Amino acid sequence: MKPLNLRGFLIYKSLISAQDQAEILDDIRAGLPQAPMFSPVTAWGKPMSVQMSSAGRYGWYSDRSGYRYEPKHPNGNDWPTIPQSVLRIWESVSGTDRQPDCCLINHYREKARMGLHQDNDEQDFTYPVVSISLGDDALFRIGGTDRKDKTESVWLASGDVVVMGGDARLAYHGIDRIRFGTSTLLKNAGRINLTLRVVD
Ligand code: MD3
Ligand code: FE
């Protein structure tokens, strides 16, 4: 399948079938009792509107001391392993033989958003980041490697996969809004985004 290339962001529309989306969602949910969703607090002390958890060797974590990867959930548990159904997507689009260390799980309710930011808490930016969208449509904003670069926006739908490699790996990006109730994948609407990363 040939992706759409938006400034180096490779967008695979509808890469994941409805059946596979449901399987991925079930597999992710199976890990949540061990590692429940929580609302991270930014370094500025503001609660994020997105709820998060992770799977893999590391989970992404934020509090007043800053952003970092942690080997355990704040409740003291190991993070669940990354489901095979999710690893298969990484293998099909990442272009690397290395497995991801972290699958960050972001849950967006109706008013949740994510401000423009760079992902730079990882050690080696030569590995791509892969994003899997599940549930409601989201307006994804893409910029350049400088915060002041002009941005453009694209809607992401359930089953879409985005690969950020090369120059896009350090590009600013964010989620401006969710078109709530546009997908029937999640019982109570909303959106789940999975991002797969190599951490160290
Ligand atoms: C571009 N998540 O968790 S995924 C994040 O939809 C994050 O939840 C958004 O940004 C979401 O950090 C956007 C697309 C994405 C993920 C990682 C990237 C774009 C990226 C890393 C580098 C560049
Ligand atoms: Fe990000």
Side-chain angles (χ1 to χ4, degrees), residues 55-181:
R57 292 173 51 228
Y58 290 109
W60 190 83
Y61 191 70
S62 173
D63 61 17
R64 293 202 91 124
S65 348
Y67 309 133
R68 60 194 180 273
Y69 284 95
E70 291 283 356
K72 292 194 187 289
H73 187 279
N75 68 10
N77 290 337
D78 287 337
W79 303 100
T81 56
I82 302 176
Q84 280 299 328
S85 55
V86 174
L87 291 174
R88 281 198 290 272
I89 305 297
W90 169 271
E91 282 157 13
S92 72
V93 297
S94 69
T96 168
D97 289 336
R98 218 191 122 155
Q99 302 266 87
D101 299 313
C102 174
C103 173
L104 175 63
I105 306 159
N106 291 150
H107 179 224
Y108 294 77
R109 295 192 164 106
E110 185 160 12
K111 300 292 179 196
R113 52 182 292 285
M114 190 175 285
L116 208 64
H117 67 278
Q118 282 177 305
D119 290 23
N120 53 17
D121 302 316
E122 302 78 22
Q123 303 277 351
D124 186 343
F125 303 131
T126 64
Y127 292 105
V129 174
V130 172
S131 148
I132 299 172
S133 289
L134 299 170
D136 289 341
D137 297 349
L139 188 58
F140 182 46
R141 187 193 290 264
I142 294 173
T145 50
D146 190 309
R147 184 178 274 285
K148 294 180 304 234
D149 290 340
K150 72 172 193 309
T151 63
E152 60 189 295
S153 296
V154 61
W155 284 97
L156 295 179
S158 199
D160 292 353
V161 174
V162 189
V163 181
M164 283 70 54
D167 290 343
R169 177 65 182 76
L170 287 171
Y172 278 85
H173 59 278
I175 296 288
D176 285 342
R177 63 193 183 91
I178 302 300
R179 216 146 52 186
F180 196 72

